[in-house]
Amino acid sequence: MQRWPVLLFLAWVCFLFFAGIGLFMSGFLLTRIELTSSSSCSDPLVPPPWERQSLPPGSCWAPQRFSKAVLVIIDALRFEFARFNPAKASPLPYENKLSFLHHLATSQPRHARLYRFRADPPTATMQRIKGLTTGSLPTFIDVGSNFATYAIQEDNLLAQLVQNGRRVVFMGDDTWEGLFPKKFFRSYFFPSFNVKDLHTVDDGILQHLYPTVDSGEWDVLIAHFLGVDHCGHKHGPDHPEMTKKLTQMNEMLRSLVDHLGNDTLLLVAGDHGMTETGDHGGDSEKEVNAALFVYSKTALFGAGPPEEPEAVPQVNLVPTVALLLGVPIPYSNIGEVMAELFSGDGDAVSAALQQLSVYHINAKQVDRFLHSYSLVAQDLPAEQLQRLQELFSSAVEEHSRLLAQVQGVTLVPPELESKLGSLIGRFQLYLREARAVCTQSWARFHPLRMVGGCTLIAASCLLCYVASELAAASDSFYRSCLLYPLLWGSAVAVLLGLARVFTQEGLDLLLVSSWAAAASQLGFFWHWWGRHPKRARLAGSQPPLASVGLRQRLRAWLGLAFPMGILLFRCGAMFSDSFVVAEARVAPFLLASLVMLLVGKLHWDGRLTVPEGPKQQLLGFSSYRREIWYLLCLVAMLLVCVRLSGFFHQCREEIPQCRPSLFLSPLASLRNTRAKNLFYLLCVALLAGLVYAVRSWLRHYGNLNSSDPLVLFVRWGFPLVVLCIACYWAVASSADDSLGKLQELVQVAVVAFPWAVYGLASVGLLLLLCNPMTVFAKDTRESAGSIVTPYLGVPSSEVDFLHVIPQIYKRMQESQKSRLEGGSCKATVAAYGLGSVYSAALVIALTLLGFLLMLLHSERLSLAFLLLFLEAFMLLHIHTRARDLAGDAEPFSVPWYAVISWLLAASQFFYSTGHQPIFPAIHWNAAFVGFHLDHSTNLLPAVLVGANTFASHILFAVGCPLLLLWPFVCEMPSSQKRKSKKEPREELQEVEEHMMEMRLRESPEKFSTALLQLGLKYLFVLGTQLLACVCAAMILRRHLMVWKVFAPKFLFESLGFVVSSICLLLGISLVMRVDCAVTSWFSQLQLR
């Protein structure tokens, strides 16, 4: 058996996919690291000592200009919605509707001003709220210390307000509740998901807005209206309903201004814009171009507004509001203060000095952040950081010299005003370049990388399909087709590395890996194209249909068409947010459909009936084969498992009427003691039942007869693991009820029992790797030599005797013949369990993995895992029966329907173990199973949470080789049912042919190729699903739900692919390890 070439080929294919995933991610997922540091009033950021002395009580860093502020967020308020153009005689439905803003700006030019409010992509509401409160550039993945919720952990404006004793009142979009839990003095949240509802949120705000303002029991009031945004999604901006919503907002603002006091700052802002279709999420001009209106009843500006409204980045609002309200700027802010709001009522020099002071504070804060960030991350270019540091240092030094000259009165006002203006320009240059550097690194899509990653994944899928077809035609192609791609890829990697060295540029390992992957793919296709002529390629890819009829042609194509059709339907569903949201129901439906189509195809091919004679025509149902009833029972049981698995579902917030399954919560959450005890006993009983079923299966096939360490572990270690898990469930479910010293013992037990399970499972897996043989050899030799026969073990039924007696008779014949001819008798070695040695190792490994994964889930989800194992068992038997009925002449090839159904079951149980492809649905408690609430490293909790999340992917990928092995394991029992009356000699010949899994060793090259072909088919199906997610994320990157639906789905699918491919390699490696052990076992027998 060729082991290493097969593993290397599959590992190389996995590398191709990984390179494509990494390249696409680098262009699509916008990432940065969150810092946990927080600003405080005691930070030494105030520039000059004399300025500190002028700070009034209650102010931090800069004098407080306003004691109250009202922030009105009109979701999706595009700039064109707020701008008023009197020259337009026939405005569009969204134009000239906010006339009150225009009235304030023209009648009170020093009190009000309209700005273009530039949003940073992604223009999704959640990311924009983060930007409006942290002053940073939120991305899809903010890498921080806590992923459990969407709550903002980074320093933000609301946290600073609360920390400094300000009362924050919120009303509107309930997204803020998840982002800022327990931050509001008073709150009125309203559901925001239903985009068809234009009025619930807005009317709820209006009900509380004016009474709250008049009460005075607030310092900062935030009102987030959603009607304009929902109207855009439902009708688009160019619709009469938009006129009604904007008119409602205009009247709201008119009334609100009448209720405001002189010490209150009013800010009216849009978090993003919208396209002509009413969507947002991307980076088009209409999506990023929002509106900001600033107003106060006291003078804000030293001069009138410019002719064209100034464009202000959204992040600039955070430092501006913070200093105006007298609180510190959030630590991670990279925004620039809106200096014109700090001019005051003095002369030009005083206004410039005040602006210079806030610029200095702002620059020091940004410099501190960049320095802290560069210590923990390397995604900001070092050269640009050095240049920014030089700009900052020179500006600070110049400011100190200028202040010394001002205090010494050595400058006349015109010269001073010129120097102040120049210095303000230098601070502005520093702040804007700093933001540009961060924007370039954090908040830009890279279309070329996205296309390159998508192309690599698509080419890898094509390679898997081509290679799997070649594997069916040639037993050893993979050795020749692996050398050239590796040489091409290595050459390109070396050339790129040398080019980087000579040009003295940094080595981008991701780009080098991607180019190497692309080169190796080209090498494979070039070698394949050159080695196989066109005629051979066409002949190999198409069945010879010219000589067969139309019905036979349809049958041949349907064998591939109907499973591929199911796969393509699943991939097409990835482009619909509704299907992705409802995939927990789509995957089981597709699995059930595929199995039913398989039965229908067998019936259409005439494989379920026997040739009808006159008798059979009269009896009707008797024309069907006996095996069909067993197959239908298997299908019925599978459908029951599929149906029952739906009871273990998790809900998404996009389905408001959904209620999560009661089985997801731990037993400790149950207050009814009787119910808790009943569920506990049921879970333990099912766990014990799983162990009993596995041991019975191993015993039936003779794999529990030896005294090897692995067999002893299965006999005694499995029950011990079950006992430890049961004890852990008992103490974990009652931990809250224990008191005093018992509480301390419980805390110890909650850690000790999981570690016992970890240890026992590790020992079992180690024994499996060291000696995976579960075969007992009974030697009855009388002389040298041996005859090895696969033997089920001790006969325990009449069916077993039907096989054992002919074997004994055969051995007696051979022994007598040998004595007559040679005068000596060959020894007989009865091998118990040899016919299922490969499958036994996989079953033991899957059971141990199942123990570990069940431990990481809540107790009642053990019911879901039992269904998982039962459904996998049903799929294997359905696959075996379908192949027997179809009369497949090629036992070493696993059909496509089996691979696709296996992967559909893996997807189904991803949802049926309480998961969803969204971050809030991750089971973070798994990180602390066996640990106290702390970890010294992030690696271990990441592994535990990953194992919990992708439990079904792990089990089905490791068990994938069973699709190849199971028909051989079931070969003997099925032969007994089909046995007809034959001569004894013919009967003995038939029995001799049924070698079970030892038939695989008769053709080592075919065995290797079969494993390779199965692995390639598995990777092809996985890769096709991944390709659909990648294309959906790339094409729909401007879709409303891209960051809520498509991007998380892509991320989970990518991680699932990585986990599945690694576990697939491990499963195939285990089969090869068993084969190596079997080879050694045979060698030892021959030496005896």
Side-chain angles (χ1 to χ4, degrees), residues 55 86 191 202 220 251 258 305 307 346 378 491 509 530 606 884 940 963 1003:
L55 289 179
D202 293 0
V220 175
E251 296 306 316
D258 293 337
E307 292 186 7
Q378 287 75 42
L509 292 178
D884 290 344
L940 188 57
L963 292 172
S1003 305

Side-chain angles (χ1 to χ4, degrees), residues 166-177:
R166 309 300 171 86
R167 298 166 298 178
V168 182
V169 175
F170 178 84
M171 50 189 71
D173 185 353
D174 60 356
T175 303
W176 290 72
E177 182 179 14

Side-chain angles (χ1 to χ4, degrees), residues 1042-1057:
V1042 63
W1043 302 110
K1044 198 173 186 67
V1045 175
F1046 296 110
K1049 175 61 179 173
F1050 156 70
L1051 188 63
F1052 275 79
E1053 197 73 31
S1054 300
L1055 293 175
F1057 179 91

Side-chain angles (χ1 to χ4, degrees), residues 391-469:
L391 279 175
F392 172 74
S393 300
S394 63
V396 169
E397 292 174 2
E398 179 64 26
H399 189 202
S400 299
R401 287 196 297 268
L402 188 59
L403 288 177
Q405 292 175 354
V406 169
Q407 289 179 339
V409 198
T410 59
L411 293 174
V412 295
E415 184 181 0
L416 176 60
E417 190 173 344
S418 174
K419 285 185 174 291
L420 288 173
S422 174
L423 186 54
I424 287 175
R426 293 173 67 176
F427 275 117
Q428 287 177 337
L429 177 64
Y430 166 75
L431 290 168
R432 291 172 187 178
E433 289 203 6
R435 179 178 174 274
V437 169
C438 295
T439 301
Q440 186 176 6
S441 302
W442 296 339
R444 287 183 184 272
F445 289 118
H446 200 303
L448 191 60
R449 290 197 174 201
M450 287 193 289
V451 172
C454 187
T455 304
L456 274 179
I457 295 173
S460 301
C461 291
L462 179 61
L463 186 148
C464 285
Y465 184 81
V466 170
S468 68
E469 293 300 314

Side-chain angles (χ1 to χ4, degrees), residues 707-724:
S707 58
D708 290 336
L710 179 60
V711 175
L712 294 177
F713 181 85
V714 172
R715 289 177 181 172
W716 305 107
F718 277 16
L720 189 57
V721 172
V722 171
L723 178 62
C724 291

Side-chain angles (χ1 to χ4, degrees), residues 634-682:
L634 291 173
V635 171
M637 292 180 65
L638 176 72
L639 296 179
V640 171
C641 290
V642 170
R643 183 63 178 171
L644 291 177
S645 67
F647 289 105
F648 303 90
H649 64 279
Q650 177 66 278
C651 289
R652 296 178 64 121
E653 64 174 321
E654 293 90 344
I655 310 177
Q657 69 273 15
C658 176
R659 295 292 178 269
S661 172
L662 297 175
F663 295 97
L664 301 182
S665 57
L667 288 179
S669 63
L670 291 178
R671 296 305 172 203
N672 189 324
T673 305
R674 183 186 179 118
K676 181 190 294 187
N677 293 336
L678 288 175
F679 271 116
Y680 173 77
L681 292 175
L682 176 62

